[in-house]
Amino acid sequence: MFEMMMQRALQSVLVIFVMSVLAFVGINLVGDPIHLLVAPDASHEEIQLASQELGLDLPVHEQYVRFLGNALRGDLGNSFVFNRPAVGLIFERMPATFELATMALLLTALVGVPLGLWAGLRPGSRLHKFAMSFSIFGVTMPVFWLGLILILVFSVNLGWLPSGGRGETTSLLGIQVSFLTWDGLKFMLLPACTLALNNIALIMRITEAGTREVAVQEYVKFARAKGVGPTRLMTRHILPNVLIPVVTAMGIEFGHLIAFSLITETIFAWPGMGKLIIDSVLQLDRPVVVAYLMVALLLFVIINFMVDMLYLVLDPRLRTKAA
Amino acid sequence: MMMNDIDAKAIPPERGEPPLAAPEHPMRLLARRYLKSRVGTGAAILLLLITLIAIFAPVIAPQDPYDLTKVSIMEAERRPGESSADGRMLYLLGTDGAGRDMLSAIFYGLRISLGIGVISALAALGIGTFMGLLAAHFGGRVDAVIMRVVDVQLSLPTILVALVLLAVLGQGVDKTLMALVLVQWAIFARNVRGAALVERGKEYIEAALGQGLPARRIMFRHVLPNCMAPLIVTTTNQMANAITLEATMSFLGIGLPQTQPSLGLLISNGFDYMLSNQYWISVFPGVALVLLVVSVSLVGDRLRVALNPKLDS
């Protein structure tokens, strides 16, 4: 099993390396950002001087080697726009994104799982039909469109919730968070719901399918025949088996939430790293784009790795096989 | 006739008695199975309608919204149902900030959105099918390399991959198409490979191999046709995904250029107006987008059931 883990880790490093080459070389083909950085009336000499300072006059492969060397020391270059370390910019905005994604995941767990369980226990019922149509709707609904509708209804028409920004934050262990104050929560509610809808639908489907499968198993019938009460049957017999794929799916979905937050953050002007990357792409802020990509890849590799390990923890059958 | 009646009660054909009459044409059988669902039928009719609108947009639109001689800034921000100042045009869905008739803009937008979705999904189908068959046929190292790339790509969210590609490639119709194809090919490759491997183990392939048919012929004439069912479903679903992804990218300003106003761009252009409660500039294109995507997905969902009788309960 240790060998398997090492193999996975090695693979992940390779993936990150290949993607960094692709991204770096590719982004260098887009165009020379130097013209964005100097004044429009800069002379030829000034442009050259600025190029040299930033290392933009070197051939691409030399630029990459410099980039890689610096990257290993945690330096992914300075943002052209902010003139500050790109990694710093991303880490600064990361807590806001994480908070939003966590909130969305929480909503998913609180709404998607119970709904899926309930629907799965009563296949063919009205609730089941409702849940299934809702899930098709939820899976296909474009995220940005949902965000717009929520803004239109709850901010513009009803005026209950703010349409964008982050509002009041409080410091928790040195990190600015929103969920501790009512004002902060108000700002977070709409973006979190927008982000969560797709996930709720997905997790509900997985839970429903799992419940339908598990509920008709012999061991459940046997437990019922033995006189196990409905609550205990649910919590001790059905739920643990249903939850294995659900929990791992939620782990993977956390990564997707972070990626999809770039849509939500743009709509709601939420100051997270998703909004930063969109702005940076539009402004050709190359170091920030590359840095975001590296950070996001690293996150995904870590999340996927943890989900694999989680599988082993949750499903004893896999553990005996692996051992 | 008798046989048809029995068949209609959804007995899987392989379990029934061998048919006495000539077997039904597969397309007719599929159509009959498909039409059993009211939701599926409704979605198919809606999709057909949208497709017709998209194809004939220049003919049926009340106005050419991108002909500057027809559009007047004086007609900007008319509410839905208002008429033009000279009373000759009725703006059923209002006008946008430049005085364009929204209904016409939506018709033209559907054309672009649907076109991009269909073209990119079909291109991805072609590339993915080829790579999947390649992996299934050669196995070994070819298989390992192709599938590793597929695995890596599918472990990343499509939006992230598309964003990176568009950041690299830049803006434009061709670039957006390229990004959409690159995002989608992997799922086709994985599905085709899986289906092809299952088919390869079956006896008719063994028989074809025994006859000494060349590998290419076996792959394209024997294996591929039998992988069609999952491919049709995947293609439909991918079309819905591609349309959504293009709309999202265009909304974020990193997809199509302003000269190709897809539904996503229309929604994006109306976003600022929405905050001042001029909802129609964003909302109606959005409704069109949702109708389009939902109808495509529902058709895909129903096709999945119709192509696999075991799923029909």
Side-chain angles (χ1 to χ4, degrees):
Chain A
M1 190 179 131
F2 179 73
E3 200 182 327
M4 211 174 78
M5 269 173 67
M6 286 314 288
Q7 214 179 346
R8 280 296 311 263
L10 207 70
Q11 241 172 44
S12 310
V13 172
L14 196 71
V15 166
I16 292 178
F17 175 71
V18 171
M19 292 292 269
S20 76
V21 174
L22 285 181
F24 192 83
V25 173
I27 285 177
N28 271 284
L29 297 177
V30 176
D32 200 341
I34 195 72
H35 300 290
L36 294 170
L37 302 170
V38 293
D41 56 349
S43 70
H44 190 66
E45 285 75 32
E46 279 176 310
I47 291 179
Q48 258 189 340
L49 201 70
S51 279
Q52 267 168 15
E53 242 172 60
L54 292 163
L56 291 171
D57 56 334
L58 298 169
V60 172
H61 65 271
E62 276 179 42
Q63 284 192 44
Y64 178 73
V65 172
R66 268 176 59 160
F67 162 78
L68 193 67
N70 289 334
L72 292 176
R73 274 178 272 126
D75 172 14
L76 290 171
N78 275 12
S79 156
F80 293 152
V81 176
F82 295 92
N83 201 19
R84 287 178 40 210
V87 178
L89 280 171
I90 289 169
F91 281 136
E92 228 169 65
R93 284 165 174 75
M94 206 184 252
T97 299
F98 266 65
E99 195 184 3
L100 198 61
T102 311
M103 187 71 164
L105 201 65
L106 207 68
L107 280 173
T108 307
L110 290 179
V111 179
V113 175
L115 216 59
L117 268 177
W118 199 5
L121 288 175
R122 293 168 182 76
S125 69
R126 196 171 288 177
L127 178 96
H128 181 256
K129 277 184 189 142
F130 167 78
M132 288 301 104
S133 357
F134 166 78
S135 87
I136 288 184
F137 188 67
V139 166
T140 48
M141 187 89 156
V143 178
F144 73 95
W145 167 244
L146 177 73
L148 291 189
I149 292 299
L150 289 180
I151 290 181
L152 183 65
V153 173
F154 292 100
S155 307
V156 179
N157 280 334
L158 297 174
W160 290 351
L161 295 162
S163 68
R166 198 177 176 190
E168 191 186 321
T169 55
T170 28
S171 185
L172 182 75
L173 305 171
I175 299 166
Q176 296 296 317
V177 292
S178 303
F179 72 95
L180 288 176
T181 59
W182 175 234
D183 182 67
L185 271 179
K186 263 191 352 199
F187 276 89
M188 199 157 60
L189 197 59
L190 287 186
C193 286
T194 307
L195 197 52
L197 181 84
N198 275 247
N199 261 6
I200 290 177
L202 189 81
I203 292 296
M204 198 188 75
R205 274 192 165 191
I206 296 174
T207 315
E208 187 261 354
T211 312
R212 276 179 83 164
E213 204 177 292
V214 170
V216 294
Q217 300 267 324
E218 296 292 328
Y219 79 87
V220 176
K221 275 188 209 158
F222 179 69
R224 201 176 278 136
K226 217 168 59 172
V228 174
T231 318
R232 197 181 154 80
L233 189 74
M234 193 68 208
T235 53
R236 300 300 289 273
H237 296 262
I238 296 180
L239 212 51
N241 278 309
V242 172
L243 282 187
I244 293 171
V246 173
V247 170
T248 47
M250 294 239 285
I252 293 170
E253 283 311 306
F254 187 69
H256 285 224
L257 284 173
I258 289 172
F260 273 93
S261 71
L262 61 90
I263 305 169
T264 320
E265 285 174 10
T266 307
I267 298 170
F268 290 96
W270 183 264
M273 53 192 223
K275 187 166 160 36
L276 177 73
I277 175 72
I278 293 288
D279 292 344
S280 302
V281 168
L282 294 176
Q283 292 166 331
L284 295 182
D285 195 348
R286 218 152 69 184
V288 179
V289 175
V290 174
Y292 174 84
L293 183 65
M294 292 293 104
V295 171
L297 265 177
L298 203 64
L299 269 175
F300 272 95
V301 166
I302 293 171
I303 288 172
N304 285 347
F305 189 76
M306 276 172 29
V307 167
D308 280 353
M309 297 300 116
L310 197 65
Y311 239 127
L312 293 181
V313 175
L314 285 177
D315 197 337
R317 283 168 299 186
L318 289 179
R319 245 175 298 165
T320 45
K321 251 182 233 164
Chain B
M1 199 59 220
M2 265 287 276
M3 191 55 222
N4 274 349
D5 285 341
I6 294 169
D7 208 356
K9 282 175 197 125
I11 293 173
E14 64 262 33
R15 258 195 261 155
E17 293 293 310
L20 301 171
E24 199 175 4
H25 189 276
M27 285 313 282
R28 272 198 59 184
L29 183 71
L30 178 64
R32 196 158 47 76
R33 284 226 179 89
Y34 183 94
L35 293 175
K36 266 197 281 179
S37 152
R38 251 187 295 169
V39 177
T41 311
I45 292 172
L46 182 62
L47 184 58
L48 188 72
L49 198 71
I50 293 176
T51 313
L52 287 176
I53 289 176
I55 293 172
F56 295 108
V59 185
I60 54 173
Q63 182 194 61
D64 180 353
Y66 303 104
D67 180 353
L68 292 178
T69 59
K70 302 263 172 63
V71 176
S72 156
I73 192 77
M74 301 302 288
E75 301 290 325
E77 298 167 36
R78 296 250 181 235
R79 301 190 72 83
E82 265 180 53
S83 294
S84 60
D86 57 10
R88 288 159 101 183
M89 270 280 290
L90 173 69
Y91 299 118
L92 216 53
L93 301 182
T95 63
D96 71 1
R100 280 186 201 105
D101 174 39
M102 280 319 291
L103 186 68
S104 309
I106 289 170
F107 283 3
Y108 277 75
L110 276 173
R111 208 174 149 84
I112 297 166
S113 291
L114 189 62
I116 296 246
V118 170
I119 293 170
S120 70
L122 290 182
L125 168 75
I127 296 172
T129 304
F130 183 73
M131 298 305 265
L133 284 180
L134 220 59
H137 178 67
F138 286 107
R141 197 162 292 178
V142 177
D143 186 30
V145 169
I146 294 177
M147 291 328 282
R148 189 52 22 88
V149 175
V150 167
D151 283 345
V152 168
Q153 206 189 315
L154 290 183
S155 73
L156 301 171
T158 50
I159 183 108
L160 200 67
V161 179
L163 175 84
V164 170
L165 286 170
L166 284 171
V168 168
L169 298 168
Q171 242 190 8
V173 181
D174 49 339
K175 316 248 168 66
T176 307
L177 269 174
M178 217 188 298
L180 288 173
V181 174
L182 281 170
V183 163
Q184 295 179 81
W185 76 277
I187 189 99
F188 286 105
R190 178 182 276 182
N191 285 357
V192 170
R193 176 183 172 271
L197 284 180
V198 170
E199 291 302 320
R200 265 172 69 94
K202 290 191 179 165
E203 276 163 6
Y204 72 92
I205 297 297
E206 228 171 90
L209 278 168
Q211 277 186 307
L213 293 178
R216 199 190 305 154
R217 192 186 155 91
I218 292 180
M219 264 300 161
F220 286 102
R221 297 292 293 276
H222 296 260
V223 175
L224 187 58
N226 285 298
C227 303
M228 261 354 221
L231 269 185
I232 291 170
V233 177
T234 312
T235 310
T236 323
N237 289 339
Q238 283 312 114
M239 275 178 198
N241 286 347
I243 293 168
T244 308
L245 197 56
E246 178 272 310
T248 306
M249 289 318 203
S250 298
F251 176 79
L252 293 174
I254 51 176
L256 295 178
Q258 284 290 344
T259 51
Q260 297 293 330
S262 71
L263 294 173
L265 269 176
L266 293 179
I267 298 168
S268 164
N269 291 341
F271 185 32
D272 294 332
Y273 293 96
M274 203 168 82
L275 294 177
S276 51
N277 213 357
Q278 286 166 323
Y279 64 91
W280 61 91
I281 305 174
S282 254
V283 166
F284 291 131
V287 171
L289 177 69
V290 171
L291 285 179
L292 174 61
V293 175
V294 168
S295 65
V296 176
S297 321
L298 286 176
V299 167
D301 206 50
R302 185 60 206 161
L303 274 175
R304 185 174 58 90
V305 178
L307 285 166
N308 188 353
K310 277 179 224 149
L311 291 175
D312 213 344
S313 47

